[in-house]
Amino acid sequence: MSSACGCLIDRRLCIDNLLLFLEDKTYCEDVHFMARLLFFARKPVHLNDGRGYYNYYQRASSVIHNFNRRTMEDEISVCHEIQAFFQAHRVFDTYRRTMSWRLLKSTQELVLNSNDHSYFISLCAQVENNDIWSCPLINNKIKILSYLLTSNHSWLVRIILNLRTFLRR
C-alpha cells in the first residue's frame, strides 16, 4: 500500500504524529505520507472489498502521463526524506533494500544519459550490488548499466550507450 487514495485513516493518528502531505511535491507525495503513516500505525488493516465507492477520473494532464525531470527530482527527494525519517527512528536497516529499490527506480532515466552519470553515482553510491540485481522495479538493461556505473565503469556504459545510438536500439 503506497497510496493514500481510498484509505480510511484515523484523524488522531495524523494529528498526534504531525503527518501532513508535502505541498511542494507534485509526484510521490502520497508515498512519503504513507511510509510515515504506516510506521506510526498500530494496527493497519487491509480490506479486500471496498466499503465505499467514489468517482475516479484521471486527467490526460496527470503527472503519471507527463513524467519529466521535475517529477523525477520529486521522487528522488521523497526517497531521501523517507530514508532520513527511517534513520531518525533507527529502523533504516529494516527498510534499506526496499529504499534502494525505490531509489534505483527513481533514477533509472539518469542511467541512459551520459551527462547524468555523475549525478546517478552520487545518488546511488550506497546501493549494494545485490540490491541492483534483485530490484524488481527495473529491467535487466538498467540493472547492467546501474551495476557498471556504481562499480566505476562509466566508460563502458558510455560505449554501450553510443553503440545503442549507432545501432538505433
Side-chain angles (χ1 to χ4, degrees):
M1 179 185 329
S2 65
S3 175
C5 183
C7 293
L8 297 174
I9 301 167
D10 185 354
R11 185 171 183 254
R12 294 282 352 143
L13 182 63
C14 295
I15 293 170
D16 293 347
N17 297 294
L18 304 173
L19 298 177
L20 299 171
F21 281 92
L22 297 173
E23 293 187 23
D24 61 334
K25 304 289 183 232
T26 58
Y27 189 70
C28 279
E29 71 285 352
D30 54 343
V31 174
H32 183 268
F33 177 81
M34 290 303 292
R36 295 175 306 128
L37 176 77
L38 292 173
F39 177 80
F40 290 116
R42 285 188 221 124
K43 294 181 182 179
V45 176
H46 179 266
L47 300 175
N48 286 332
D49 59 336
R51 299 291 180 202
Y53 297 95
Y54 60 93
N55 291 330
Y56 178 73
Y57 174 73
Q58 190 171 21
R59 298 183 310 266
S61 63
S62 169
V63 72
I64 298 300
H65 301 295
N66 297 302
F67 197 79
N68 58 34
R69 185 75 179 207
R70 179 162 182 228
T71 55
M72 182 184 66
E73 294 291 339
D74 282 354
E75 189 172 7
I76 291 168
S77 71
V78 165
C79 283
H80 286 294
E81 289 178 28
I82 294 171
Q83 180 177 336
F85 174 81
F86 287 148
Q87 287 172 335
H89 287 86
R90 296 182 180 97
V91 294
F92 180 70
D93 289 340
T94 305
Y95 300 102
R96 184 196 53 75
R97 179 177 234 174
T98 304
M99 293 305 302
S100 293
W101 288 350
R102 187 85 192 178
L103 186 61
L104 287 166
K105 172 73 170 97
S106 310
T107 57
Q108 66 181 340
E109 293 295 321
L110 299 176
V111 172
L112 299 173
N113 186 342
S114 298
N115 296 329
D116 292 325
H117 287 170
S118 58
Y119 184 41
F120 172 84
I121 292 167
S122 71
L123 293 170
C124 296
Q126 304 303 321
V127 175
E128 296 180 7
N129 290 339
N130 291 339
D131 295 340
I132 294 172
W133 295 119
S134 65
C135 181
L137 306 174
I138 57 176
N139 64 32
N140 287 334
K141 172 181 66 177
I142 300 295
K143 287 179 185 180
I144 292 167
L145 297 176
S146 297
Y147 169 76
L148 290 171
L149 284 172
T150 57
S151 301
N152 297 320
H153 296 296
S154 58
W155 60 272
L156 187 53
V157 174
R158 282 192 300 278
I159 291 172
I160 292 169
L161 292 177
N162 287 334
L163 279 172
R164 288 188 71 229
T165 303
F166 178 72
L167 298 173
R168 294 190 173 124
R169 293 185 181 201

